[in-house]
PDB file of all heavy atoms in Angstrom:
ATOM      1  N   SER A  13     -19.442   6.763   3.764  1.00  0.00           N
ATOM      2  CA  SER A  13     -19.590   8.122   4.298  1.00  0.00           C
ATOM      3  C   SER A  13     -18.775   8.355   5.551  1.00  0.00           C
ATOM      4  O   SER A  13     -18.364   9.480   5.834  1.00  0.00           O
ATOM      5  CB  SER A  13     -21.074   8.419   4.576  1.00  0.00           C
ATOM      6  OG  SER A  13     -21.522   7.747   5.741  1.00  0.00           O
ATOM      7  N   ILE A  16     -14.397   9.397   5.818  1.00  0.00           N
ATOM      8  CA  ILE A  16     -13.697  10.681   5.862  1.00  0.00           C
ATOM      9  C   ILE A  16     -13.344  11.064   7.293  1.00  0.00           C
ATOM     10  O   ILE A  16     -12.632  12.035   7.517  1.00  0.00           O
ATOM     11  CB  ILE A  16     -14.525  11.805   5.206  1.00  0.00           C
ATOM     12  CG1 ILE A  16     -15.823  12.054   5.995  1.00  0.00           C
ATOM     13  CG2 ILE A  16     -14.815  11.485   3.759  1.00  0.00           C
ATOM     14  CD1 ILE A  16     -16.572  13.281   5.552  1.00  0.00           C
ATOM     15  N   GLN A 118     -21.721  15.810   8.954  1.00  0.00           N
ATOM     16  CA  GLN A 118     -22.670  15.139   9.827  1.00  0.00           C
ATOM     17  C   GLN A 118     -22.686  13.641   9.554  1.00  0.00           C
ATOM     18  O   GLN A 118     -22.242  13.185   8.505  1.00  0.00           O
ATOM     19  CB  GLN A 118     -24.084  15.702   9.609  1.00  0.00           C
ATOM     20  CG  GLN A 118     -24.229  17.174   9.980  1.00  0.00           C
ATOM     21  CD  GLN A 118     -25.671  17.646   9.794  1.00  0.00           C
ATOM     22  OE1 GLN A 118     -26.501  16.951   9.230  1.00  0.00           O
ATOM     23  NE2 GLN A 118     -25.945  18.829  10.286  1.00  0.00           N
ATOM     24  N   VAL A 119     -23.216  12.906  10.521  1.00  0.00           N
ATOM     25  CA  VAL A 119     -23.383  11.464  10.364  1.00  0.00           C
ATOM     26  C   VAL A 119     -24.426  11.202   9.281  1.00  0.00           C
ATOM     27  O   VAL A 119     -25.403  11.952   9.137  1.00  0.00           O
ATOM     28  CB  VAL A 119     -23.818  10.826  11.701  1.00  0.00           C
ATOM     29  CG1 VAL A 119     -24.120   9.343  11.536  1.00  0.00           C
ATOM     30  CG2 VAL A 119     -22.739  11.040  12.752  1.00  0.00           C
ATOM     31  N   HIS A 120     -24.232  10.142   8.514  1.00  0.00           N
ATOM     32  CA  HIS A 120     -25.138   9.784   7.435  1.00  0.00           C
ATOM     33  C   HIS A 120     -26.579   9.684   7.954  1.00  0.00           C
ATOM     34  O   HIS A 120     -26.813   9.148   9.037  1.00  0.00           O
ATOM     35  CB  HIS A 120     -24.710   8.433   6.845  1.00  0.00           C
ATOM     36  CG  HIS A 120     -25.348   8.111   5.545  1.00  0.00           C
ATOM     37  ND1 HIS A 120     -26.643   7.656   5.445  1.00  0.00           N
ATOM     38  CD2 HIS A 120     -24.876   8.166   4.260  1.00  0.00           C
ATOM     39  CE1 HIS A 120     -26.948   7.437   4.174  1.00  0.00           C
ATOM     40  NE2 HIS A 120     -25.893   7.743   3.437  1.00  0.00           N
ATOM     41  N   PRO A 121     -27.572  10.209   7.192  1.00  0.00           N
ATOM     42  CA  PRO A 121     -28.974  10.170   7.657  1.00  0.00           C
ATOM     43  C   PRO A 121     -29.464   8.769   7.989  1.00  0.00           C
ATOM     44  O   PRO A 121     -30.274   8.598   8.900  1.00  0.00           O
ATOM     45  CB  PRO A 121     -29.739  10.745   6.457  1.00  0.00           C
ATOM     46  CG  PRO A 121     -28.761  11.626   5.761  1.00  0.00           C
ATOM     47  CD  PRO A 121     -27.422  10.942   5.929  1.00  0.00           C
ATOM     48  N   ARG A 124     -28.443   8.065  11.453  1.00  0.00           N
ATOM     49  CA  ARG A 124     -29.209   8.874  12.394  1.00  0.00           C
ATOM     50  C   ARG A 124     -30.627   8.339  12.585  1.00  0.00           C
ATOM     51  O   ARG A 124     -31.275   8.632  13.588  1.00  0.00           O
ATOM     52  CB  ARG A 124     -29.256  10.338  11.934  1.00  0.00           C
ATOM     53  CG  ARG A 124     -27.901  11.030  11.903  1.00  0.00           C
ATOM     54  CD  ARG A 124     -28.043  12.539  11.959  1.00  0.00           C
ATOM     55  NE  ARG A 124     -28.835  13.081  10.870  1.00  0.00           N
ATOM     56  CZ  ARG A 124     -28.342  13.471   9.692  1.00  0.00           C
ATOM     57  NH1 ARG A 124     -27.037  13.371   9.455  1.00  0.00           N
ATOM     58  NH2 ARG A 124     -29.131  13.977   8.767  1.00  0.00           N
ATOM     59  N   ILE A 203     -25.125   7.226  -9.029  1.00  0.00           N
ATOM     60  CA  ILE A 203     -24.727   8.434  -8.304  1.00  0.00           C
ATOM     61  C   ILE A 203     -23.287   8.319  -7.816  1.00  0.00           C
ATOM     62  O   ILE A 203     -22.477   9.236  -7.975  1.00  0.00           O
ATOM     63  CB  ILE A 203     -25.674   8.692  -7.114  1.00  0.00           C
ATOM     64  CG1 ILE A 203     -27.029   9.185  -7.614  1.00  0.00           C
ATOM     65  CG2 ILE A 203     -25.064   9.711  -6.139  1.00  0.00           C
ATOM     66  CD1 ILE A 203     -28.057   9.370  -6.500  1.00  0.00           C
ATOM     67  N   HIS A 204     -22.954   7.175  -7.244  1.00  0.00           N
ATOM     68  CA  HIS A 204     -21.617   7.005  -6.681  1.00  0.00           C
ATOM     69  C   HIS A 204     -20.554   6.858  -7.759  1.00  0.00           C
ATOM     70  O   HIS A 204     -19.418   7.286  -7.568  1.00  0.00           O
ATOM     71  CB  HIS A 204     -21.604   5.801  -5.737  1.00  0.00           C
ATOM     72  CG  HIS A 204     -22.227   6.085  -4.413  1.00  0.00           C
ATOM     73  ND1 HIS A 204     -21.499   6.172  -3.245  1.00  0.00           N
ATOM     74  CD2 HIS A 204     -23.515   6.325  -4.059  1.00  0.00           C
ATOM     75  CE1 HIS A 204     -22.313   6.456  -2.238  1.00  0.00           C
ATOM     76  NE2 HIS A 204     -23.545   6.541  -2.705  1.00  0.00           N
ATOM     77  N   LEU A 235     -33.777   6.156   2.324  1.00  0.00           N
ATOM     78  CA  LEU A 235     -32.571   6.857   2.747  1.00  0.00           C
ATOM     79  C   LEU A 235     -32.818   8.033   3.675  1.00  0.00           C
ATOM     80  O   LEU A 235     -31.875   8.661   4.156  1.00  0.00           O
ATOM     81  CB  LEU A 235     -31.801   7.329   1.508  1.00  0.00           C
ATOM     82  CG  LEU A 235     -31.163   6.150   0.782  1.00  0.00           C
ATOM     83  CD1 LEU A 235     -31.342   6.246  -0.705  1.00  0.00           C
ATOM     84  CD2 LEU A 235     -29.708   6.049   1.134  1.00  0.00           C
ATOM     85  N   GLY A 236     -34.074   8.346   3.936  1.00  0.00           N
ATOM     86  CA  GLY A 236     -34.372   9.393   4.895  1.00  0.00           C
ATOM     87  C   GLY A 236     -34.139  10.800   4.397  1.00  0.00           C
ATOM     88  O   GLY A 236     -34.093  11.740   5.200  1.00  0.00           O
ATOM     89  N   GLN A 237     -34.002  10.971   3.093  1.00  0.00           N
ATOM     90  CA  GLN A 237     -33.819  12.297   2.514  1.00  0.00           C
ATOM     91  C   GLN A 237     -34.148  12.240   1.026  1.00  0.00           C
ATOM     92  O   GLN A 237     -34.111  11.176   0.410  1.00  0.00           O
ATOM     93  CB  GLN A 237     -32.387  12.779   2.729  1.00  0.00           C
ATOM     94  CG  GLN A 237     -31.331  11.888   2.109  1.00  0.00           C
ATOM     95  CD  GLN A 237     -29.934  12.378   2.393  1.00  0.00           C
ATOM     96  OE1 GLN A 237     -29.672  13.577   2.388  1.00  0.00           O
ATOM     97  NE2 GLN A 237     -29.020  11.448   2.645  1.00  0.00           N
ATOM     98  N   PRO A 238     -34.478  13.385   0.416  1.00  0.00           N
ATOM     99  CA  PRO A 238     -34.812  13.415  -1.006  1.00  0.00           C
ATOM    100  C   PRO A 238     -33.605  13.052  -1.872  1.00  0.00           C
ATOM    101  O   PRO A 238     -32.447  13.180  -1.429  1.00  0.00           O
ATOM    102  CB  PRO A 238     -35.245  14.865  -1.237  1.00  0.00           C
ATOM    103  CG  PRO A 238     -35.599  15.389   0.117  1.00  0.00           C
ATOM    104  CD  PRO A 238     -34.679  14.682   1.069  1.00  0.00           C
ATOM    105  N   PRO A 239     -33.850  12.618  -3.110  1.00  0.00           N
ATOM    106  CA  PRO A 239     -32.743  12.210  -3.992  1.00  0.00           C
ATOM    107  C   PRO A 239     -31.679  13.287  -4.193  1.00  0.00           C
ATOM    108  O   PRO A 239     -30.481  12.995  -4.144  1.00  0.00           O
ATOM    109  CB  PRO A 239     -33.452  11.882  -5.314  1.00  0.00           C
ATOM    110  CG  PRO A 239     -34.851  11.545  -4.921  1.00  0.00           C
ATOM    111  CD  PRO A 239     -35.160  12.397  -3.738  1.00  0.00           C
ATOM    112  N   MET A 240     -32.094  14.532  -4.397  1.00  0.00           N
ATOM    113  CA  MET A 240     -31.111  15.569  -4.675  1.00  0.00           C
ATOM    114  C   MET A 240     -30.293  15.932  -3.443  1.00  0.00           C
ATOM    115  O   MET A 240     -29.124  16.314  -3.548  1.00  0.00           O
ATOM    116  CB  MET A 240     -31.792  16.816  -5.251  1.00  0.00           C
ATOM    117  CG  MET A 240     -32.537  16.565  -6.565  1.00  0.00           C
ATOM    118  SD  MET A 240     -31.535  15.688  -7.804  1.00  0.00           S
ATOM    119  CE  MET A 240     -30.357  16.970  -8.246  1.00  0.00           C
ATOM    120  N   SER A 241     -30.891  15.794  -2.266  1.00  0.00           N
ATOM    121  CA  SER A 241     -30.123  16.016  -1.034  1.00  0.00           C
ATOM    122  C   SER A 241     -29.065  14.933  -0.873  1.00  0.00           C
ATOM    123  O   SER A 241     -27.926  15.210  -0.490  1.00  0.00           O
ATOM    124  CB  SER A 241     -31.051  16.023   0.186  1.00  0.00           C
ATOM    125  OG  SER A 241     -31.949  17.104   0.139  1.00  0.00           O
ATOM    126  N   TYR A 242     -29.450  13.692  -1.165  1.00  0.00           N
ATOM    127  CA  TYR A 242     -28.488  12.595  -1.090  1.00  0.00           C
ATOM    128  C   TYR A 242     -27.358  12.821  -2.088  1.00  0.00           C
ATOM    129  O   TYR A 242     -26.180  12.612  -1.764  1.00  0.00           O
ATOM    130  CB  TYR A 242     -29.168  11.258  -1.370  1.00  0.00           C
ATOM    131  CG  TYR A 242     -28.210  10.095  -1.250  1.00  0.00           C
ATOM    132  CD1 TYR A 242     -28.051   9.437  -0.037  1.00  0.00           C
ATOM    133  CD2 TYR A 242     -27.423   9.699  -2.329  1.00  0.00           C
ATOM    134  CE1 TYR A 242     -27.141   8.393   0.086  1.00  0.00           C
ATOM    135  CE2 TYR A 242     -26.506   8.663  -2.205  1.00  0.00           C
ATOM    136  CZ  TYR A 242     -26.381   8.014  -1.008  1.00  0.00           C
ATOM    137  OH  TYR A 242     -25.467   6.994  -0.875  1.00  0.00           O
ATOM    138  N   LEU A 243     -27.716  13.233  -3.299  1.00  0.00           N
ATOM    139  CA  LEU A 243     -26.705  13.490  -4.334  1.00  0.00           C
ATOM    140  C   LEU A 243     -25.710  14.539  -3.859  1.00  0.00           C
ATOM    141  O   LEU A 243     -24.490  14.358  -3.973  1.00  0.00           O
ATOM    142  CB  LEU A 243     -27.383  13.946  -5.618  1.00  0.00           C
ATOM    143  CG  LEU A 243     -26.459  14.434  -6.745  1.00  0.00           C
ATOM    144  CD1 LEU A 243     -25.543  13.309  -7.219  1.00  0.00           C
ATOM    145  CD2 LEU A 243     -27.285  14.992  -7.901  1.00  0.00           C
ATOM    146  N   THR A 244     -26.209  15.623  -3.292  1.00  0.00           N
ATOM    147  CA  THR A 244     -25.315  16.675  -2.788  1.00  0.00           C
ATOM    148  C   THR A 244     -24.425  16.143  -1.675  1.00  0.00           C
ATOM    149  O   THR A 244     -23.206  16.405  -1.647  1.00  0.00           O
ATOM    150  CB  THR A 244     -26.137  17.867  -2.269  1.00  0.00           C
ATOM    151  OG1 THR A 244     -26.891  18.432  -3.352  1.00  0.00           O
ATOM    152  CG2 THR A 244     -25.228  18.942  -1.683  1.00  0.00           C
ATOM    153  N   ASN A 245     -25.010  15.383  -0.746  1.00  0.00           N
ATOM    154  CA  ASN A 245     -24.215  14.832   0.354  1.00  0.00           C
ATOM    155  C   ASN A 245     -23.119  13.909  -0.154  1.00  0.00           C
ATOM    156  O   ASN A 245     -21.976  13.943   0.330  1.00  0.00           O
ATOM    157  CB  ASN A 245     -25.123  14.073   1.326  1.00  0.00           C
ATOM    158  CG  ASN A 245     -25.984  14.993   2.158  1.00  0.00           C
ATOM    159  OD1 ASN A 245     -25.689  16.175   2.295  1.00  0.00           O
ATOM    160  ND2 ASN A 245     -27.066  14.479   2.703  1.00  0.00           N
ATOM    161  N   TRP A 246     -23.444  13.080  -1.151  1.00  0.00           N
ATOM    162  CA  TRP A 246     -22.431  12.176  -1.675  1.00  0.00           C
ATOM    163  C   TRP A 246     -21.342  12.938  -2.416  1.00  0.00           C
ATOM    164  O   TRP A 246     -20.158  12.642  -2.291  1.00  0.00           O
ATOM    165  CB  TRP A 246     -23.038  11.119  -2.597  1.00  0.00           C
ATOM    166  CG  TRP A 246     -21.966  10.345  -3.303  1.00  0.00           C
ATOM    167  CD1 TRP A 246     -21.702  10.317  -4.632  1.00  0.00           C
ATOM    168  CD2 TRP A 246     -20.948   9.533  -2.691  1.00  0.00           C
ATOM    169  NE1 TRP A 246     -20.596   9.534  -4.904  1.00  0.00           N
ATOM    170  CE2 TRP A 246     -20.122   9.034  -3.720  1.00  0.00           C
ATOM    171  CE3 TRP A 246     -20.673   9.181  -1.376  1.00  0.00           C
ATOM    172  CZ2 TRP A 246     -19.028   8.205  -3.470  1.00  0.00           C
ATOM    173  CZ3 TRP A 246     -19.588   8.348  -1.135  1.00  0.00           C
ATOM    174  CH2 TRP A 246     -18.792   7.870  -2.173  1.00  0.00           C
ATOM    175  N   ARG A 247     -21.727  13.927  -3.211  1.00  0.00           N
ATOM    176  CA  ARG A 247     -20.727  14.729  -3.917  1.00  0.00           C
ATOM    177  C   ARG A 247     -19.726  15.337  -2.937  1.00  0.00           C
ATOM    178  O   ARG A 247     -18.513  15.315  -3.179  1.00  0.00           O
ATOM    179  CB  ARG A 247     -21.427  15.837  -4.721  1.00  0.00           C
ATOM    180  CG  ARG A 247     -22.072  15.361  -6.011  1.00  0.00           C
ATOM    181  CD  ARG A 247     -22.900  16.450  -6.668  1.00  0.00           C
ATOM    182  NE  ARG A 247     -23.238  16.092  -8.046  1.00  0.00           N
ATOM    183  CZ  ARG A 247     -24.108  16.730  -8.794  1.00  0.00           C
ATOM    184  NH1 ARG A 247     -24.754  17.792  -8.272  1.00  0.00           N
ATOM    185  NH2 ARG A 247     -24.347  16.346 -10.026  1.00  0.00           N
ATOM    186  N   LEU A 248     -20.236  15.866  -1.830  1.00  0.00           N
ATOM    187  CA  LEU A 248     -19.351  16.521  -0.874  1.00  0.00           C
ATOM    188  C   LEU A 248     -18.561  15.509  -0.055  1.00  0.00           C
ATOM    189  O   LEU A 248     -17.409  15.766   0.316  1.00  0.00           O
ATOM    190  CB  LEU A 248     -20.166  17.444   0.028  1.00  0.00           C
ATOM    191  CG  LEU A 248     -20.838  18.612  -0.708  1.00  0.00           C
ATOM    192  CD1 LEU A 248     -21.711  19.419   0.237  1.00  0.00           C
ATOM    193  CD2 LEU A 248     -19.792  19.512  -1.370  1.00  0.00           C
ATOM    194  N   THR A 249     -19.153  14.347   0.226  1.00  0.00           N
ATOM    195  CA  THR A 249     -18.410  13.280   0.900  1.00  0.00           C
ATOM    196  C   THR A 249     -17.249  12.813   0.033  1.00  0.00           C
ATOM    197  O   THR A 249     -16.117  12.641   0.504  1.00  0.00           O
ATOM    198  CB  THR A 249     -19.333  12.086   1.209  1.00  0.00           C
ATOM    199  OG1 THR A 249     -20.337  12.509   2.144  1.00  0.00           O
ATOM    200  CG2 THR A 249     -18.559  10.924   1.808  1.00  0.00           C
ATOM    201  N   TYR A 250     -17.533  12.601  -1.235  1.00  0.00           N
ATOM    202  CA  TYR A 250     -16.496  12.177  -2.177  1.00  0.00           C
ATOM    203  C   TYR A 250     -15.434  13.258  -2.316  1.00  0.00           C
ATOM    204  O   TYR A 250     -14.229  12.976  -2.347  1.00  0.00           O
ATOM    205  CB  TYR A 250     -17.139  11.861  -3.521  1.00  0.00           C
ATOM    206  CG  TYR A 250     -16.193  11.336  -4.572  1.00  0.00           C
ATOM    207  CD1 TYR A 250     -15.194  10.420  -4.262  1.00  0.00           C
ATOM    208  CD2 TYR A 250     -16.306  11.738  -5.902  1.00  0.00           C
ATOM    209  CE1 TYR A 250     -14.326   9.936  -5.228  1.00  0.00           C
ATOM    210  CE2 TYR A 250     -15.460  11.259  -6.878  1.00  0.00           C
ATOM    211  CZ  TYR A 250     -14.478  10.363  -6.535  1.00  0.00           C
ATOM    212  OH  TYR A 250     -13.624   9.885  -7.492  1.00  0.00           O
ATOM    213  N   ALA A 251     -15.863  14.507  -2.369  1.00  0.00           N
ATOM    214  CA  ALA A 251     -14.912  15.619  -2.466  1.00  0.00           C
ATOM    215  C   ALA A 251     -13.999  15.658  -1.238  1.00  0.00           C
ATOM    216  O   ALA A 251     -12.791  15.892  -1.366  1.00  0.00           O
ATOM    217  CB  ALA A 251     -15.665  16.935  -2.597  1.00  0.00           C
ATOM    218  N   ALA A 252     -14.575  15.433  -0.056  1.00  0.00           N
ATOM    219  CA  ALA A 252     -13.764  15.437   1.165  1.00  0.00           C
ATOM    220  C   ALA A 252     -12.706  14.345   1.117  1.00  0.00           C
ATOM    221  O   ALA A 252     -11.556  14.549   1.533  1.00  0.00           O
ATOM    222  CB  ALA A 252     -14.658  15.258   2.390  1.00  0.00           C
ATOM    223  N   TYR A 271     -19.635  20.047  -9.918  1.00  0.00           N
ATOM    224  CA  TYR A 271     -19.800  21.500  -9.811  1.00  0.00           C
ATOM    225  C   TYR A 271     -19.129  22.177 -10.998  1.00  0.00           C
ATOM    226  O   TYR A 271     -18.000  21.831 -11.369  1.00  0.00           O
ATOM    227  CB  TYR A 271     -19.208  22.014  -8.492  1.00  0.00           C
ATOM    228  CG  TYR A 271     -20.039  21.622  -7.294  1.00  0.00           C
ATOM    229  CD1 TYR A 271     -19.825  20.411  -6.645  1.00  0.00           C
ATOM    230  CD2 TYR A 271     -21.064  22.447  -6.836  1.00  0.00           C
ATOM    231  CE1 TYR A 271     -20.606  20.033  -5.557  1.00  0.00           C
ATOM    232  CE2 TYR A 271     -21.840  22.078  -5.742  1.00  0.00           C
ATOM    233  CZ  TYR A 271     -21.607  20.873  -5.108  1.00  0.00           C
ATOM    234  OH  TYR A 271     -22.384  20.507  -4.042  1.00  0.00           O
ATOM    235  N   SER A 280     -20.780  25.338  -1.440  1.00  0.00           N
ATOM    236  CA  SER A 280     -21.513  24.150  -1.004  1.00  0.00           C
ATOM    237  C   SER A 280     -20.733  23.381   0.056  1.00  0.00           C
ATOM    238  O   SER A 280     -21.304  22.908   1.042  1.00  0.00           O
ATOM    239  CB  SER A 280     -21.800  23.248  -2.210  1.00  0.00           C
ATOM    240  OG  SER A 280     -22.630  22.171  -1.859  1.00  0.00           O
ATOM    241  N   GLU A 284     -21.755  22.547   4.181  1.00  0.00           N
ATOM    242  CA  GLU A 284     -21.835  21.193   4.736  1.00  0.00           C
ATOM    243  C   GLU A 284     -20.827  20.977   5.854  1.00  0.00           C
ATOM    244  O   GLU A 284     -21.153  20.393   6.887  1.00  0.00           O
ATOM    245  CB  GLU A 284     -21.598  20.165   3.632  1.00  0.00           C
ATOM    246  CG  GLU A 284     -21.559  18.716   4.097  1.00  0.00           C
ATOM    247  CD  GLU A 284     -22.886  18.211   4.614  1.00  0.00           C
ATOM    248  OE1 GLU A 284     -23.930  18.840   4.317  1.00  0.00           O
ATOM    249  OE2 GLU A 284     -22.892  17.189   5.328  1.00  0.00           O
ATOM    250  N   TYR A 285     -19.585  21.417   5.660  1.00  0.00           N
ATOM    251  CA  TYR A 285     -18.510  21.101   6.598  1.00  0.00           C
ATOM    252  C   TYR A 285     -18.087  22.271   7.483  1.00  0.00           C
ATOM    253  O   TYR A 285     -17.281  22.097   8.393  1.00  0.00           O
ATOM    254  CB  TYR A 285     -17.292  20.576   5.832  1.00  0.00           C
ATOM    255  CG  TYR A 285     -17.511  19.203   5.247  1.00  0.00           C
ATOM    256  CD1 TYR A 285     -17.898  19.039   3.929  1.00  0.00           C
ATOM    257  CD2 TYR A 285     -17.352  18.066   6.031  1.00  0.00           C
ATOM    258  CE1 TYR A 285     -18.117  17.778   3.389  1.00  0.00           C
ATOM    259  CE2 TYR A 285     -17.570  16.806   5.511  1.00  0.00           C
ATOM    260  CZ  TYR A 285     -17.951  16.668   4.188  1.00  0.00           C
ATOM    261  OH  TYR A 285     -18.183  15.426   3.667  1.00  0.00           O
TER     262      TYR A 285
END
Side-chain angles (χ1 to χ4, degrees):
S13 75
I16 64 171
Q118 296 182 350
V119 175
H120 194 282
R124 296 201 302 270
I203 287 176
H204 283 250
L235 289 136
Q237 60 182 321
M240 300 310 289
S241 295
Y242 182 91
L243 172 63
T244 298
N245 287 340
W246 171 245
R247 283 172 166 169
L248 296 176
T249 296
Y250 183 41
Y271 288 88
S280 187
E284 176 67 18
Y285 290 97

